[in-house]
Amino acid sequence: MLFVVWLVLPLAYTVALGRKYVRQARAAAEEAVNAAQEAAWANADVQDALDDLQPTDSPQEDLPVSLPTARTADTQELPAIKPPASTGRHRLEESQLARGVAS
């Protein structure tokens, strides 16, 4: 009798777990389908709203464009950048000593 229980118990356990996972998978699939449908509905709503915002008869391309002027009353003058009195040498520039040794 114990031998029969030893043979049947793993099979029953596997069937019970399998049915549980099938139910969970079915529920997850239904949630995914519902989410996809809600996303499609939301996308359709957004598309309808965008279609409502499109101009229908009067194009606004003929309106003149006003460009801002370069200077206004509140424009401030910035001081000019003065070049330094002396500049250093670049680290890769050869010195007179290096030229004398290389010759």
Side-chain angles (χ1 to χ4, degrees):
M1 179 67 178
L2 187 59
F3 180 72
V4 173
V5 172
W6 180 74
L7 285 177
V8 173
L9 192 60
L11 181 61
Y13 182 71
T14 304
V15 169
L17 278 180
R19 292 182 71 179
K20 175 185 173 186
Y21 288 129
V22 166
R23 273 184 265 132
Q24 286 179 351
R26 184 179 299 135
E30 288 175 3
E31 288 178 16
V33 168
N34 290 340
Q37 286 176 348
E38 289 177 9
W41 293 334
N43 189 16
D45 291 343
V46 168
Q47 192 62 41
D48 290 341
L50 288 176
D51 290 341
D52 292 342
L53 292 176
Q54 295 293 328
T56 55
D57 295 332
S58 60
Q60 297 182 358
E61 296 174 2
D62 299 336
L63 297 176
V65 177
S66 62
L67 298 175
T69 59
R71 295 205 178 261
T72 59
D74 60 344
T75 302
Q76 298 178 359
E77 291 291 328
L78 298 176
I81 298 175
K82 298 176 183 170
S86 63
T87 57
R89 297 167 54 100
H90 192 270
R91 64 180 177 84
L92 297 178
E93 185 179 339
E94 289 187 3
S95 64
Q96 291 179 356
L97 178 63
R99 277 189 243 135
V101 172
S103 302

